[in-house]
Amino acid sequence: MAVYRRTYTAYTGSLTPAWSRFLVFFRYSRRSLFRSKFQTGLFVACFFFPTVCLLSIYLAHNLSFLEKLGAASQLIAIDNKFFFYFMNVQGVLAFLVTAFAGPGLISPDLANGALPLYFCRPFSRAEYVLGKSSVLAILLSQITWIPGLILFAVQGSLAGAGWTWSHLWIAGSLILSSLIWIAILSLLAMALSAWVKWRIVAGALLLAFLFFGAGFAQAINAVMRTNAGHFFNVAYLMGTVWKSLFQVDNGTEFSVAQAWIALLIYCAVCLGLLMRKVRAYEVVR
């Protein structure tokens, strides 16, 4: 439309409510997430182990079927260890999904200088980070605590109300352990992608951070003759917290309080690095 004609008018349509504007980032980022067939296949593969767990719960409550197979029914015990191992497997899969999907949420915006276009509209930096991180949060929830609660509900319906009420704390442990892992993975992936600005390198750094972090921590412990090296091993810290939540024998060299403090420090550092990079203009000195 030619401006000199002055026939243009202001937009009079309905506006998105301020509290839900971050969902605009979620809607468009989620749409582009499953364009890759590999990511779609990886996401579908994440539901294989929950299906096996669901079949195990069914077999555990059908003793006659197990006896026909010649297997002892005690081999399948649906208890806190069962859900702890479920959380470990799904946690590893959640990490792999984050390594391939997380870096692509922010790095293209920073690499192409798109942030000024976003922030010239009524979006704040907090809404931008919240909208982008909500994509990973919902995606990882679908493969961690949501199938975990479904398994718990199935087990509760078959075992009865007595088992459900006495083991209700396991449902809380599933939710809390999943939310902690989701927060760490989301902030770590977005912080790395914001500073590297290259999707492939950011994903490789995320994978290296977990796999080489364990070796680096063991090297520090061996050289310094201390246990402080576990601070650099996020998987070890997360395992310590999960063991305490599921009341599994700890057997770790780091206390639960130290693991919680270390994970909170990781979240704070990643959030600080992310907010430092997510701005409309970059000051070059």
Side-chain angles (χ1 to χ4, degrees):
M1 177 184 298
V3 177
Y4 68 89
R5 294 183 179 177
R6 298 181 183 274
T7 57
Y8 56 89
T9 58
Y11 176 71
T12 57
S14 60
L15 298 177
T16 303
W19 65 270
S20 62
R21 285 174 185 166
F22 74 95
L23 295 176
V24 176
F25 294 106
F26 167 78
R27 183 167 65 249
Y28 286 98
S29 299
R30 174 86 178 187
R31 184 179 302 173
S32 61
L33 195 62
F34 291 102
R35 290 178 180 173
S36 170
K37 293 182 180 178
F38 176 77
Q39 291 183 3
T40 304
L42 180 60
F43 180 72
V44 173
C46 292
F47 295 97
F48 175 75
F49 187 70
T51 305
V52 173
C53 292
L54 185 63
L55 182 62
S56 301
I57 293 175
Y58 173 78
L59 293 177
H61 291 277
N62 288 271
L63 302 180
S64 59
F65 181 76
L66 288 177
E67 290 174 355
K68 290 180 181 178
L69 293 178
S73 59
Q74 292 79 8
L75 291 177
I76 305 177
I78 311 302
D79 52 8
N80 56 334
K81 291 183 179 179
F82 175 84
F83 289 98
F84 172 73
Y85 295 137
F86 164 80
M87 196 61 226
N88 275 267
V89 174
Q90 293 303 108
V92 173
L93 294 174
F95 174 78
L96 293 177
V97 170
T98 304
F100 288 101
L105 295 175
I106 285 185
S107 55
D109 295 340
L110 290 169
N112 298 305
L115 291 185
L117 298 177
Y118 288 134
F119 295 137
C120 69
R121 293 170 173 79
F123 291 120
S124 64
R125 291 193 298 168
E127 289 173 335
Y128 177 83
V129 173
L130 182 61
K132 294 289 185 177
S133 60
S134 62
V135 178
L136 277 179
I138 294 178
L139 183 69
L140 300 182
S141 295
Q142 292 172 337
I143 61 178
T144 53
W145 64 269
I146 291 178
L149 288 185
I150 293 175
L151 293 177
F152 181 84
V154 173
Q155 166 65 13
S157 63
L158 295 176
W163 185 94
T164 304
W165 285 109
S166 61
H167 295 80
L168 193 59
W169 59 272
I170 294 180
S173 300
L174 283 169
I175 297 175
L176 184 57
S177 58
S178 299
L179 293 181
I180 299 168
W181 190 228
I182 290 171
I184 292 175
L185 290 180
S186 301
L187 291 174
L188 193 58
M190 295 175 66
L192 286 175
S193 62
W195 280 83
V196 175
K197 298 182 182 180
W198 196 3
R199 179 179 177 178
I200 298 177
V201 177
L205 286 177
L206 188 60
L207 290 172
F209 184 81
L210 184 69
F211 292 110
F212 292 103
F216 185 64
Q218 291 296 335
I220 292 179
N221 291 337
V223 173
M224 305 297 293
R225 296 182 179 179
T226 178
N227 297 327
H230 292 304
F231 178 79
F232 299 95
N233 190 354
V234 177
Y236 186 89
L237 299 174
M238 200 68 248
T240 303
V241 172
W242 282 354
K243 288 179 180 177
S244 67
L245 290 176
F246 288 95
Q247 300 183 10
V248 179
D249 292 337
N250 197 334
T252 57
E253 301 174 349
F254 236 47
S255 67
V256 178
Q258 289 175 321
W260 272 105
I261 294 174
L263 291 176
L264 291 177
I265 291 175
Y266 269 109
C267 290
V269 171
C270 291
L271 184 60
L273 293 174
L274 183 61
M275 297 303 289
R276 183 176 176 82
K277 272 295 181 182
V278 176
R279 56 180 60 183
Y281 297 97
E282 183 177 2
V283 178
V284 179
R285 297 178 178 176

